[in-house]
Amino acid sequence: MTTLYLCLAIVLLLSVVLGLLRIMWGPTAADRMMAAQLFGTCGVAILLLLARGLEQLIIEDVALVFALLSALATVAFVRRAWRRDDVRRTGGPDHD
Amino acid sequence: MTGNESTGHRRGMGLVPLFNLVMLVALFAALAWGYLAPVSGSSGLAHRVDAALVESGVESRVTAVLLNYRAYDTLLECFVLFLGVVAVWSLRPFRYDRHDPSPGLILSSLVRLLVPLMVLVGGYLLWAGSNQAGGAFQAGAILGGAGVLLLLTSSPLLSALPRGLLSCGICLGPVFFLMMGLAAMVLGRDFMEYRGEAAALAIVALEVVTALSIGLCLAALFGGRRPEAGQEGAGKAVPSQDGGEGR
Amino acid sequence: MVVSAFDIILCLTLVWLAWHILTSPDHFKAVVLFISFGLLMALAWVRLQAPDVALAEAAIGSGLTGALFLSALRRMASVRRGERRLDRAEERYDDG
């Protein structure tokens, strides 16, 4: 059973790697941020699977912290960076 | 960061990636050597830490090292954070050119849901720190995260906190740390020498106070400028932290 | 065996990611990559049997630092625009 958990963790890790490609290619800032947000969810799942697979229940605490704080970057993005969509494209808004 | 700018920039510094690559290879070689080289002798300091764990007042090795054996490190870390806040506050204030619109229903509900949970988990980590992973810094980071969340949504809770309390909270970490160290001296021990029964109490007190102070410092660092009296949205600290921690 | 496969994927991804963070000309992309780097680094700390560091990394590395960087990015954009306005004003002054 633990092997199954670890295999699932690897599958999720590979999906994180695929998400990284989206961050690399993502045409808009929102695409990139959503991929990073996916990592938050994936990360929690990987940590929980590792906690069971390696039988170290302390890892569940890490998952808990992760679940709480992964939303922070997205909130910062929505509040601080998103309206400035041009930050991504040109590095400086110069439409004045 | 404009297209032309960056290509010109990169062409001008063609050596930098090469240098990075060389450094990376060197680092990997060093790590591989460190990993593969046979370890001689004993396994570091682990057995000495374990031997002294009985009178350190806590059951977790990491907490014992951070707050008892090597309390100097943590004290200096507190001072680093404190000085960081002082430095940030002494800079010229910066205002974002457009004022943030009020957060929508979804964001404010999220904050209302998440902040109490963060305070709860921060408290849990603080409590768990004495016998497993966790402790003051982790709890402080989570409380700081709660503060950042409130700052990002310019929550009305922020303006409710008096400025003086914020400054006190930020100073409290280093000051309390020093006071506890001196108290140990008054009791006839060395500076910051905590042992036996009293150690457990001292470390719990230290952890609670430093966690609150670290949380405030991190949120203040994110806030970026000193809140001015009576100015909305400029505050940093998190009143719910203090309230939540007391429960 | 499964665990070492997990470790190898994790290590390779971390190095690849670090390389892209350092070389990316697009600051926003670098910030999003850094946020995901925080996640993978937390997983690495978990695998290195250091749950304390993993907790701190999960809280600081991906949550707080990500929010801080996104704010800094916005601030850089504002500052740069201010500088451009200044340049234009100077040009106008020189012309006149």
Side-chain angles (χ1 to χ4, degrees), chain B residues 179-195 197-199 201-202:
Chain B
M179 274 170 50
M180 291 297 280
L182 291 176
M185 282 179 90
V186 169
L187 293 177
R189 302 236 165 87
D190 278 339
F191 183 57
M192 286 184 173
E193 183 189 356
Y194 312 122
R195 274 175 196 279
E197 287 285 311
L201 204 62

Side-chain angles (χ1 to χ4, degrees), chain B residues 133-150:
Chain B
F137 194 74
Q138 285 85 351
I142 297 205
L143 293 181
V148 168
L149 204 57
L150 290 179

Side-chain angles (χ1 to χ4, degrees), chain A residues 39-62:
Chain A
F39 293 176
T41 325
C42 258
V44 172
I46 293 176
L47 285 168
L48 289 176
L49 284 169
L50 281 183
R52 294 286 156 176
L54 303 173
E55 280 156 8
Q56 296 172 2
L57 293 186
I58 187 69
I59 302 179
E60 284 177 358
D61 285 359
V62 184

Side-chain angles (χ1 to χ4, degrees), chain B residues 12-34:
Chain B
M13 306 207 295
L15 281 177
V16 172
L18 191 68
F19 178 72
N20 285 345
L21 192 65
V22 171
M23 291 307 282
L24 201 64
V25 169
L27 181 67
F28 259 88
L31 284 178
W33 183 76

Side-chain angles (χ1 to χ4, degrees), chain C residues 1-47:
Chain C
M1 162 55 198
V2 187
V3 175
S4 32
F6 185 88
D7 292 349
I8 289 167
I9 297 174
L10 193 60
C11 282
L12 291 179
T13 317
L14 273 172
V15 174
W16 182 66
L17 201 53
W19 178 259
H20 276 277
I21 293 170
L22 290 176
T23 56
S24 161
D26 182 346
H27 289 186
F28 181 80
K29 193 166 101 179
V31 168
V32 178
L33 286 176
F34 186 82
I35 294 170
S36 18
F37 186 82
L39 157 72
L40 292 176
M41 203 59 221
L43 288 181
W45 286 123
V46 161
R47 286 295 302 129

Side-chain angles (χ1 to χ4, degrees), chain C residues 44-95:
Chain C
W45 286 123
V46 161
R47 286 295 302 129
L48 289 170
Q49 313 279 337
D52 292 86
V53 193
L55 278 172
E57 177 69 35
I60 304 267
S62 55
L64 285 172
T65 324
L68 200 59
F69 278 167
L70 285 171
S71 288
L73 210 57
R74 160 99 178 265
R75 198 158 158 166
M76 272 164 62
S78 307
V79 168
R80 192 168 297 145
R81 184 161 68 175
E83 277 173 2
R84 278 189 195 160
R85 273 196 193 131
L86 208 61
D87 290 346
R88 247 169 251 162
E90 277 169 4
E91 276 165 24
R92 245 176 264 143
Y93 180 76
D94 290 344
D95 291 345

